Amino acid sequence: MRIHIIACRVFTRELCFYASRSPHIVDITWLPQGLHDTPVQLQKMISDSLDQLYIQMEKKMVKHKPDVIVLGYGLCSNGIVGITSRDIPIVVPRTDDCIALFLGSQKRYLELFKDCGGTYWLNNGWIETAFIPSREMLNSRYEEYIELYGEENAEFLAEQDQCWIRNYNACGYISSPAYHCPEYPELARRVADENGWNYREFEGDNRMLRMMVSGLWNDEEFCICPPFHRIEATCDDKKIRAVPCE
Amino acid sequence: MGILEEISSLMQQGRAPKVKELVQQAIDEGVSPKEILEKGLLGAMSIIGDKFKKNEIFVPEVLIAARAMNAGVSILKPYLVEAGVESKGTAVIGTVKGDLHDIGKNLVKMMLEGKGLNVIDLGVDVPAEDFVKAAQENNADIICCSALLTTTMGEMKNVVAAAAAAGIRDKVKIMVGGAPITQSFCDSIGADCYSPDAASAADAALALCS
């Protein structure tokens, strides 16, 4: 089977690792990390990637048509809602976001979300691709604010950034069974200290990321969107459903 | 450039201290406070709102403009009260239970205040019952709920239900917003109004109060 994945760069290490070992032929289109902040933009970039894939197939630049397209996203601020399949089915994990995928299941994520409210999650992928609230990155953002908006406004904007940081109370570092870099949990611990948060480590579980490339998609954890269907949010435990295009 | 155009231009640049200074100067020159508010400050905010919708500017630019607007409004307020301009309505605002992200909520609050609404800020992680209690205590026209996460947006449904259970559903409008929120979600939970950004939220809130 040929699987084409359109995924957030936050999964680079894990998906590359499991793709290389998959019995299937896996190709991946990467999109920038952080698009969940602008869900309209995320939806557009996934749609554009699908357009590009079909253009490449039409022009025979892609020699083999994929059997299935997998989205390497959860709901991600509803950025995947409205994505429409054409003649190739699209598979999407039924999770709120990447944290559930790094923890191994939506169920575990929700349990931790309930028990560890106010936890800011970090892992290898986030540390390597995202803005993280370390003193170093906050300082560099502050310098950028000064340059763009002047010193007086920079202080106000930095204060706005501090608002949400103050609302959190812990940093949860999720380890990865695919890759270990000792500096990363150290960095996560430093971020916790700098922001006055508690620090906790959680063992990561890549089962859903492995399933993405394995072709073993159960209906409970993955939504299989048949050809010519549109992805919708269900606003319940199922998270998403596929509805026929009119 | 007339003084109102100058106030508008400085407000759009987010220059709060300068806006304050010029608003005072305009008052001293005899410009009516209502005109300063509508043509100078709110006019500038509409331009900022439009630019944001078109992706020409981003959240920091809107934040500093909203702050500059509020700096101007703080000078105008006593004069507006003196001129008999009353509060346009009362809104209680907060992020829903479990959600700790308040930049958007703070921005909407500033916008609502700029439009002349009295805003009761309940902060973050607000249980549904607390929204309702605050609405009752303050005789609010609107409850504004914000959520940034798909894990917490479902709480908005509880706010609608709590308002109905308390028997105030016909007295208070419920507005919802935040990155994952859509019009269809708003409709599905029986809320009254969804706004995709802070400037539209302020316009919608004003319309709900009138």
Side-chain angles (χ1 to χ4, degrees), chain A residues 78 96 149 152-153 156 167-168, chain B residues 14 67 100-101 150-151 180:
Chain A
N78 284 329
D96 279 296
Y149 312 114
E152 201 239 352
N153 275 324
F156 164 72
N167 294 336
Y168 277 89
Chain B
R67 173 174 175 252
L100 306 173
H101 307 87
T150 54
T151 39

Side-chain angles (χ1 to χ4, degrees), chain B residues 8-183:
Chain B
S8 168
S9 163
L10 288 164
M11 206 207 89
Q12 289 174 58
Q13 295 165 47
R15 294 175 64 184
K18 203 73 196 155
V19 168
K20 253 181 157 171
E21 207 178 285
L22 275 194
V23 166
Q24 187 60 58
Q25 192 186 319
I27 287 168
D28 296 344
E29 286 174 10
V31 185
S32 87
K34 199 162 175 278
E35 201 176 357
I36 300 171
L37 177 71
E38 281 168 11
K39 292 195 180 152
L41 301 174
L42 296 180
M45 209 62 233
S46 295
I47 298 170
I48 286 288
D50 286 343
K51 285 186 177 173
F52 182 72
K53 276 179 215 163
K54 290 181 198 154
N55 281 325
E56 288 171 16
I57 56 168
F58 300 98
V59 170
E61 281 94 341
V62 186
L63 276 169
I64 61 173
R67 173 174 175 252
M69 175 180 72
N70 278 27
V73 169
S74 70
I75 299 290
L76 282 181
K77 223 169 195 173
Y79 297 96
L80 290 168
V81 172
E82 203 176 293
V85 179
E86 288 170 5
S87 164
K88 301 271 170 54
T90 298
V92 297
I93 191 169
T95 75
V96 295
K97 192 177 169 193
D99 211 306
L100 306 173
H101 307 87
D102 55 359
I103 289 187
K105 184 267 293 172
N106 295 342
L107 186 53
V108 172
K109 180 189 170 191
M110 284 196 269
M111 296 285 196
L112 296 181
E113 286 175 339
K115 289 276 183 188
L117 271 84
N118 174 32
V119 184
I120 316 293
D121 186 357
L122 305 178
V124 297
D125 195 13
V126 181
E129 297 71 29
D130 291 9
F131 276 110
V132 171
K133 200 170 151 221
Q136 286 172 313
E137 283 171 1
N138 296 285
N139 201 18
D141 303 284
I142 315 173
I143 292 175
C144 304
C145 312
S146 160
L148 187 77
L149 306 173
T150 54
T151 39
T152 57
M153 61 191 271
E155 270 295 321
M156 291 177 168
K157 199 176 178 178
N158 298 339
V159 177
V160 177
I168 61 163
R169 191 64 190 91
D170 57 338
K171 293 189 199 111
V172 69
K173 300 289 183 192
I174 298 177
M175 284 182 70
V176 292
I181 311 301
T182 57
Q183 183 63 53

